[in-house]
């Protein structure tokens, strides 16, 4: 069965054929780092992590390049830096905010079982590439300077609006924002704007300034994935204007007929029927949720709904996700084995536009079969369950780790990081450090066992 993905551009479930099966490429718009990410922001990260895992399975681990950027230049970041570090020079204050927030984001999504993307580029490390692209757009007649800005001229592109399926006349008629007099067309958008006073700036042919939001993704996707790549993803709210404008910039600067082959968008995570968002104030941060729930339960709950559907986020649904995981962990193969066969039901479901609810149902069917089986047949089924769940980023922990950490309220993530650090110290023959970490774990009530087969396991002793 071939992989099919819903493409926002064609509005169809298209069969996926990569440009180059030995180098499949995916770009997902990442966070703007000024504050803790909320649980809605976790949705695209988890959804595209499942896709990343599936692509690695289909095309080979080393044949998929996944880029998820970090937006570390934005007016919200400036405001936060001025508020939190008024005594520091602006650049330092901004760096403090963006570094701490990006680190927190990486920790949060790791706890949700997400693999690291191949590249996680930062906007501020790609300013010359953006300036270069804006220069090309000006030279090719797709941009103009006005009112201290460089703007993209939307009328210079015949099919502007193709992704969001809007045409320019509709946009003009429906425009609710006041027309800014320096714009030739109300839909023209900023590529570069001049900075003054308390705003960060970089030298450019148009003066000291900073990039608009959209240009960063055009510049970074080109740098890391090339002029045309396979999959571009993000939440529904990014279709317009962000992705529409990225697409316009890239195609017009590079003279290509497409930017990405497939455009994928996840639906919203909602609270009482409303999109979870910072501006509505109805958000819970990933960090807060992880204090009460294992990251895996959050992930499981997220995957119970198809990625294009809205999800209503409730504690009751998290609780039942946690209970379902208990059931799965009870039957997980004990021997860490991921060498089981993949279940065709799970794989087929994922290949059908990432149908994770159907994949979880297939896992449940294996669970039922395990209960009815015995002996070697049961062992094979348990291995199949583990291997198939792993494809979704689930059931990675040893059974004991799941239950012990659930029961004792131990911070599993921290313990696992310490165990890994101790292993690294032992490999480097740094026995003092290895003993120090063992003591630190003992203080947390965790004992570690170095097994004959070279693995290290741990358990809670209290
Ligand atoms: P932002 O930091 O708002 O640019 O969002 C980062 C990513 O999270 C984007 O892909 C958004 O589309 C996505 N996102 C934001 N809020 C939600 C939500 N409530 N549900 C699902 N995705 C969201
Ligand atoms: Zn983007």
């Amino acid at each position: 069965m071939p992989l099919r993905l819903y493409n926002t551009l064609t509005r169809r479930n298209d069969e996926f054929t990569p440009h180059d099966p030995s180098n499949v490429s995916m770009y997902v718009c990442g966070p703007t780092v000024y504050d803790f990410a909320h649980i809605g922001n976790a949705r695209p990260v988890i959804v595209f992590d499942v896709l990343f895992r599936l692509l690695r399975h289909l095309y080979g681990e080393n044949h998929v390049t996944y880029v998820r950027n970090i937006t570390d230049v934005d007016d919200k970041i400036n405001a936060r830096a001025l508020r939190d570090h008024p005594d520091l020079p602006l650049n330092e204050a901004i760096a403090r905010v963006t570094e701490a927030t990006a680190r927190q984001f990486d920790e949060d999504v790791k706890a949700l079982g997400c693999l690291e993307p191949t590249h996680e580029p930062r906007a501020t490390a790609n300013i010359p590439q953006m300036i270069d692209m804006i220069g090309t757009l000006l030279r090719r007649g797709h941009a103009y300077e006005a009112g201290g800005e460089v703007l993209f001229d939307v009328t210079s592109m015949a099919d502007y609006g193709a992704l969001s399926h809007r045409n320019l006349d509709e946009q003009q008629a429906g425009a609710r924002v006041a027309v800014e007099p320096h714009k030739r067309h109300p839909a023209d958008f900023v590529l570069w704007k001049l900075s003054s006073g308390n705003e960060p700036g970089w030298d450019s042919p148009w003066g000291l300034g900073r990039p608009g939001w959209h240009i960063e993704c055009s510049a970074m996707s080109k740098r890391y994935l090339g002029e045309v790549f396979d999959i571009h993803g993000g939440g529904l709210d990014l279709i317009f204007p962000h992705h529409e404008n990225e697409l316009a910039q890239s195609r017009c600067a590079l003279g290509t007929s497409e930017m990405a082959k497939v455009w994928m968008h996840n639906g919203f995570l909602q609270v009482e029927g409303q999109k979870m968002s910072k501006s509505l104030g109805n958000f819970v941060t990933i960090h807060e949720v992880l204090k009460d729930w294992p990251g895996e339960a959050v992930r499981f709950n997220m995957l119970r709904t198809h990625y294009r559907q809205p999800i209503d986020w409730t504690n009751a649904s998290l609780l039942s996700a946690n209970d379902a995981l208990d059931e799965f962990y009870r039957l997980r193969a004990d021997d860490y084995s991921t060498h089981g066969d993949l279940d065709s039901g799970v794989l087929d479901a994922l290949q059908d536009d990432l149908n994770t609810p159907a994949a979880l149902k297939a896992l449940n069917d294996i669970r039922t079969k395990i209960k009815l089986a015995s002996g070697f047949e049961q062992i094979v089924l348990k291995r199949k369950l583990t291997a198939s769940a792993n494809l979704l980023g689930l059931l990675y922990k040893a059974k004991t780790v799941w239950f012990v950490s659930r029961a004792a309220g131990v911070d599993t993530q921290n313990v696992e990081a310490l165990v890994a650090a101790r292993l690294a110290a032992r490999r480097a023959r740094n026995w003092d450090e290895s003993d120090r970490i063992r003591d630190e774990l003992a203080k947390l009530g965790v004992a570690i066992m170095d097994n004959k087969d070279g693995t290290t396991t741990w358990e809670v002793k209290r």
Side-chain angles (χ1 to χ4, degrees), residues 23-27 63-66 225 228-232:
N23 187 15
V24 181
S25 45
M26 173 161 85
Y27 187 98
H63 299 290
V64 186
T65 307
Y66 172 23
L225 300 176
V228 179
F229 51 94
D230 293 313
I231 298 169
H232 195 324

Side-chain angles (χ1 to χ4, degrees), residues 336 398 400-401 419 422 446-451 455-459:
Y336 283 87
T400 47
V401 173
V419 169
R422 178 172 164 275
V446 172
I448 36 187
M449 284 78 60
D450 296 314
N451 304 316
T455 58
T456 296
T457 43
W458 59 273
E459 62 184 48

Side-chain angles (χ1 to χ4, degrees), residues 27 29 217 242 246:
Y27 187 98
C29 298
C217 292
H242 185 53
E246 279 186 28

Side-chain angles (χ1 to χ4, degrees), residues 29-32 38 40-41 43-44 234-235 237-238 266-269 275-276:
C29 298
T32 305
H38 61 65
N41 301 133
R43 193 171 189 194
D237 52 338
L238 297 189
N266 64 269
F268 291 135
L269 183 141
K275 177 191 171 195
M276 180 178 279

